[in-house]
Amino acid sequence: MNEVRYFPAITVPVPKERIYKRLGFRRDRTKLDAASRLEIDRVIDDAVSMIQLRGVARKTAIVGNDGTRTELGSGHTITSAKLAAFLSGAEEALLMGATAGRDVITAIDEETGRGAMTRAVVYDAAASEMVDDALDWLCTYFNRELSRECRLVTKRRFSAGYGDFALEEQRYIHAFLHMDKLDVHINENHILIPEKSVTAVTGVWLKEGGSEKK
């Protein structure tokens, strides 16, 4: 069984353009004066100062894939045709989790509570984009390791709750990764707490001719 790998401090570039896009701004359609842009940039910077990206990942063998069910070496079987199709040909699955931490969620709640909705929405957008980038960071990290074995993962990934990949599977992933050690818990509805915590699954493939399979 592969060990759980914890990453207590993940640093990623601030994806300001994607944050603006998540906020609904479109470069070719949205007019924003310099003062407003400066103010939003300041709020994004505030959010970034509170976001504490942490991650965890663990590989497990894929011992069966019949196109509908993926049987993991850990003994767990996931029933999802879409996930099985995605993992077709993969030797292993890489299960990942990441969180933006509690401070930014507390700030979102506080700003919402006092009616400062713009700040709350910007905080939310920044945390959403950056925790997604933390998963990209994990994929890049493992790719560096796996390249020495002529294997790779891609940045494409599946998350529980998408398509026929049941949200209930997030409970298994949470336990498999021991995400409680990141201060990430899961409630009775299979939702991770704090918000802006995510899980995902990708595969580990052999390189074919030096290029990505997927």
Side-chain angles (χ1 to χ4, degrees), residues 7 9-12 133-142 144:
F7 301 88
I10 293 174
T11 301
V12 300
D133 282 357
L135 293 178
D136 283 345
W137 186 95
L138 288 170
C139 289
T140 299
Y141 177 91
F142 278 91
R144 283 198 297 267

Side-chain angles (χ1 to χ4, degrees), residues 6 39 47 56 68 80 82 90 139 153 162 168 173 185 189 208:
Y6 292 100
E39 177 57 26
V56 59
T68 302
S80 165
K82 289 184 180 297
C139 289
V153 299
Y162 176 77
E168 287 81 352
I173 297 171
H185 305 283
N189 296 317
E208 294 179 351

Side-chain angles (χ1 to χ4, degrees), residues 23-55:
L23 291 170
F25 291 95
R26 296 294 180 271
R27 182 176 297 176
D28 57 340
R29 284 177 285 174
T30 306
K31 293 183 179 178
L32 190 64
D33 61 66
S36 297
R37 173 96 190 194
L38 182 60
E39 177 57 26
I40 293 174
D41 282 350
R42 286 174 176 160
V43 179
I44 291 173
D45 290 343
D46 287 346
V48 171
S49 72
M50 293 180 283
I51 291 170
Q52 300 169 315
L53 293 176
R54 288 171 289 166

Side-chain angles (χ1 to χ4, degrees), residues 92-163:
E92 294 181 304
L94 178 67
L95 281 63
M96 302 175 286
T99 181
R102 290 185 179 273
D103 289 356
V104 69
I105 301 304
T106 298
I108 292 170
D109 291 343
E110 289 176 350
E111 298 294 356
T112 300
R114 68 186 187 90
M117 296 309 299
T118 298
R119 293 185 68 85
V121 169
V122 173
Y123 287 176
D124 186 285
S128 295
E129 292 296 337
M130 291 186 69
V131 77
D132 194 54
D133 282 357
L135 293 178
D136 283 345
W137 186 95
L138 288 170
C139 289
T140 299
Y141 177 91
F142 278 91
N143 258 331
R144 283 198 297 267
E145 286 196 347
L146 290 166
S147 65
R148 296 192 289 269
E149 305 166 6
C150 292
R151 300 195 298 160
L152 58 83
V153 299
T154 74
K155 289 185 177 180
R156 289 189 60 209
R157 49 190 178 253
F158 260 62
S159 292
Y162 176 77

